[in-house]
């Protein structure tokens, strides 16, 4: 009976709730919700990029065969979460990752006016309250 009372204790319930909140915060901040590879055309060879690229006359001395269709593509890895997306940089030979926030993906010309949004929401809420009375 003491084991049953221990399992029903408020302190254990509090610890379990705290652990679940902590794990949910970790999962929300993670950028590994979706992991994979994508098929991307190979970039052209340049002085900074000499491996895994499409040769350009005069830049690279690599003999290239177009017989197999997948010679034109590379498969860089990526991972994305709720807030950020990271992808392998295909434009340099160095193995590096390029990460960016989803807020940065929207072009400046497409972003709305934040002050208008912040004033419009309370006004529309108060209008709805008035109409419901």
């Amino acid at each position: 009976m003491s084991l049953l009372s221990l399992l029903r204790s408020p302190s254990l319930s509090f610890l379990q709730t705290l652990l679940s909140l902590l794990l949910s915060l970790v999962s929300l901040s993670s950028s590994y919700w979706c992991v994979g590879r994508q098929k991307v055309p190979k970039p052209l060879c340049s002085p900074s990029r000499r491996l895994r690229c499409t040769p350009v006359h005069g830049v690279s001395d690599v003999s290239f065969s177009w017989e197999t269709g997948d010679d034109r593509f590379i498969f860089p890895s990526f991972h994305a979460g709720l807030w950020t997306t990271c992808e392998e940089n295909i434009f340099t030979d160095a193995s590096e990752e390029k990460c960016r926030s989803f807020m940065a993906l929207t072009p400046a010309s497409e972003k709305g006016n934040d002050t208008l949004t912040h004033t419009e929401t309370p006004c529309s809420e108060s209008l709805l309250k008035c109409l419901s009375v």
Side-chain angles (χ1 to χ4, degrees):
M1 197 65 153
S2 66
L3 178 64
L4 189 58
S5 64
L6 179 66
L7 290 176
R8 292 182 178 173
S9 70
S11 61
L12 183 64
S13 176
F14 175 75
L15 287 175
Q16 289 174 338
T17 304
L18 195 63
L19 179 66
S20 69
L21 285 173
L22 178 71
L23 290 176
S24 66
L25 286 175
V26 168
S27 71
L28 282 175
S29 62
S30 172
S31 66
Y32 285 91
W33 284 25
C34 178
V35 178
R37 296 176 108 35
Q38 56 187 352
K39 187 176 182 178
V40 178
K42 284 184 180 179
L44 297 176
C45 292
S46 67
S48 64
R49 174 94 181 164
R50 295 196 177 274
L51 302 173
R52 298 186 331 162
C53 59
T54 303
V56 178
H57 183 67
V59 174
S60 59
D61 299 330
V62 179
S63 60
F64 196 70
S65 170
W66 291 96
E67 291 176 4
T68 60
D70 283 340
D71 282 347
R72 297 177 296 175
F73 299 100
I74 58 174
F75 298 90
S77 60
F78 72 93
H79 56 93
L82 189 60
W83 309 109
T84 60
T85 179
C86 300
E87 57 192 3
E88 186 180 336
N89 190 358
I90 62 170
F91 297 106
T92 61
D93 284 334
S95 177
E96 62 183 24
E97 214 172 53
K98 182 173 58 173
C99 295
R100 57 189 172 175
S101 167
F102 281 116
M103 299 301 275
L105 294 178
T106 307
S109 62
E110 297 293 322
K111 289 183 181 176
N113 188 354
D114 287 339
T115 57
L116 180 64
T117 306
H118 293 301
T119 56
E120 182 180 302
T121 304
C123 291
S124 63
E125 288 176 359
S126 61
L127 180 63
L128 286 173
K129 287 180 184 177
C130 290
L131 290 176
S132 65
V133 174

